Amino acid sequence: HGGIWPSLPPLLASRCRAAFCAQDSTPSPAQRQVVGALKVLELQPREEVRTPQGYSLDAVVCVDGRDIAVEVDGPSHFVGRTPTGATLLKRRQLRAMGWLLLAVPYWE
């Protein structure tokens, strides 16, 4: 518990990262709506930002000199209104990497 996992061999790590980053995302109508609202608020959102770790963020805005990740989570991110394990893992890892995160569920 709490130990550091051994690193993957460099070639395998490179292939894993390439596979993780290979998934292109297409903005959903809800994501376009949220980004439009951010633009109206003159927050100048950057869309589909890739983190150094390979995660894709729906949008990033800068407020008071601090980047904030905005994730627009559609129905596939939930079971009922409970976030899926994959969604919780992404949120936890982004926060652990220092991101401020605003999750916008599809019903809001």
Side-chain angles (χ1 to χ4, degrees):
H1 290 109
I4 296 177
W5 288 89
S7 297
L8 293 173
L11 179 60
L12 180 57
S14 175
R15 292 177 65 192
C16 288
R17 180 173 169 67
F20 184 65
C21 295
Q23 295 183 356
D24 288 333
S25 53
T26 303
S28 68
Q31 182 179 333
R32 286 192 292 272
Q33 186 177 17
V34 169
V35 167
L38 295 170
K39 288 178 180 178
V40 168
L41 294 170
E42 298 182 359
L43 290 174
Q44 302 173 338
R46 293 174 279 146
E47 297 180 67
E48 299 302 325
V49 173
R50 182 78 60 185
T51 70
Q53 297 79 17
Y55 275 114
S56 176
L57 304 173
D58 294 335
V60 175
V61 295
C62 186
V63 177
D64 295 330
R66 187 81 198 265
D67 280 343
I68 301 172
V70 180
E71 285 288 284
V72 182
D73 293 334
S76 67
H77 291 267
F78 298 91
V79 176
R81 291 205 171 178
T82 302
T84 64
T87 297
L88 290 172
L89 177 62
K90 181 177 180 180
R91 290 176 183 176
R92 186 176 311 125
Q93 288 182 334
L94 288 169
R95 288 184 176 118
M97 292 179 260
W99 282 95
L100 294 177
L101 179 62
L102 173 65
V104 181
Y106 68 96
W107 61 82
E108 288 188 356

